[in-house]
Amino acid sequence: MPEGPETHYNADRLDLLLGGRTLQRLAFSDPALAQRQEQLQGRGVLGVRARGKATLIDFDNDLTLYTHSQLFGYWRFGTRQGHVPAGEPRVLLASERGWAALYLAPKVEVWPSATIEIEQSYLAKLGPDVLDPAVRPEMLAARLHQPAFRRRSLAALLLQQEFAAGMGNYLRSEVLFDAALLATHVAGALDAGQTQRLARALLEIPRRAYRAKFRDAPPPHGKDYLAHTARTFRFKVFERDGLPCPRCGATIVIDRLAGRRIYSCPGCQH
Ligand SMILES: [Zn+2]
């Protein structure tokens, strides 16, 4: 499943392809969206942005196309003019620069741009986005101790989009490892040092994962906050059960918590 870094990366690629350009082609596979297809066909695209794990494409007629990849959705991109992508994409978008096709995404909706962020149910409940440069560690530190979240285990909280948008399953394991914390802690019981470590990792790890996608190129315009972020990212514990921990050498273990697999090191996460 794409998490925040992958969603933001795809949104940036879509923005390069479509931002400031006129749509040459638009097709939805869902017949229920036929009227929307007519409304958006041939319109100009103002820009493309990610919010959590959703992608928003803003058009010049005050409409916004919302997609959420959920578990299996994925984007494909191509530059060949006139080339038709294989299969039956749920959404096909093309400008003079090339095309983008979204496959298997269960959520495709069109909303008025002015109200989408307050009326669309997923967007309306999103917490601060871990890839939003305006989000600071202090905000997340305070959030861990707020009434809505303080009784929850880190295992559940670190998947909850209301707490921190863009978090997901691989990020959960990696963030907790970076903060040297076990997932079984209750948020409100973390001491000041643990809270700070976790808040910092909640931003640092997703940003590093995102930044690594531009290893050989500068991050796109407006992502200057990533300038000093490490360009490499690889899993330290996720999908590494049975292997030695890169920090202490103990054997990494796998568990299931809050319905999803989680990886941790029993030697250095407490
Ligand atoms: Zn360890």
Side-chain angles (χ1 to χ4, degrees):
M1 178 180 189
E3 302 183 15
E6 292 70 36
T7 309
H8 277 255
Y9 177 63
N10 281 329
D12 290 337
R13 293 186 71 186
L14 284 165
D15 194 51
L16 280 174
L17 187 72
L18 307 170
R21 292 171 197 275
T22 301
L23 271 196
Q24 290 186 334
R25 215 170 138 203
L26 167 94
F28 296 132
S29 67
D30 183 354
L33 290 170
Q35 196 196 340
R36 293 306 202 176
Q37 184 173 312
E38 255 171 58
Q39 288 174 316
L40 298 178
Q41 193 75 258
R43 301 303 312 201
V45 174
L46 300 178
V48 184
R49 58 208 162 99
R51 288 279 288 122
K53 298 184 223 174
T55 304
L56 279 68
I57 303 177
D58 296 315
F59 288 84
D60 64 0
N61 58 346
D62 301 320
L63 291 175
T64 295
L65 171 61
Y66 167 97
T67 68
H68 191 301
S69 294
Q70 312 250 60
L71 277 182
F72 303 111
Y74 62 93
W75 286 95
R76 284 274 179 275
F77 296 88
T79 50
R80 266 206 353 249
Q81 290 294 330
H83 175 78
V84 182
E88 194 194 7
R90 294 287 308 273
V91 178
L92 174 63
L93 299 152
S95 76
E96 81 242 16
R97 290 195 149 189
W99 55 264
L102 176 62
Y103 294 90
L104 301 174
K107 282 267 183 228
V108 179
E109 300 168 359
V110 178
W111 287 78
S113 306
T115 54
I116 182 169
E117 299 216 34
I118 39 177
E119 286 181 357
Q120 205 283 340
S121 59
Y122 172 82
L123 297 176
K125 63 176 194 198
L126 280 185
D129 191 313
V130 290
L131 287 156
D132 177 348
V135 176
R136 314 289 314 152
E138 306 79 63
M139 291 164 64
L140 292 172
R143 231 167 148 73
L144 284 163
H145 295 274
Q146 282 172 5
F149 307 115
R150 68 181 180 218
R151 286 187 195 82
R152 310 218 60 191
S153 73
L154 299 186
L157 208 52
L158 267 56
L159 294 175
Q160 201 185 338
Q161 301 303 294
E162 294 90 329
F163 172 69
M167 281 297 296
N169 207 41
Y170 83 72
L171 287 173
R172 177 177 70 160
S173 290
E174 294 298 318
V175 164
L176 287 169
F177 175 77
D178 193 76
L181 290 170
L182 288 172
T184 44
H185 283 284
V186 172
L190 295 174
D191 66 28
Q194 292 171 323
T195 301
Q196 242 175 35
R197 285 206 315 267
L198 180 57
R200 206 170 321 137
L202 274 164
L203 296 182
E204 172 68 19
I205 299 300
R207 288 172 185 191
R208 204 186 290 164
Y210 170 84
R211 178 70 175 96
K213 298 180 190 300
F214 300 97
R215 194 176 315 173
D216 302 317
H221 180 70
K223 308 268 176 163
D224 311 338
Y225 70 100
L226 293 163
H228 303 294
T229 306
R231 293 179 179 207
T232 53
F233 175 81
R234 55 187 196 90
F235 293 146
K236 303 263 176 63
V237 287
F238 190 76
E239 292 184 336
R240 291 178 53 81
D241 50 307
L243 294 171
C245 165
R247 192 161 51 201
C248 76
T251 302
I252 294 163
V253 296
I254 178 173
D255 285 300
R256 283 192 83 82
L257 288 174
R260 308 285 301 276
R261 65 209 157 102
I262 188 163
Y263 300 81
S264 59
C265 173
C268 61
Q269 287 177 254
H270 303 287

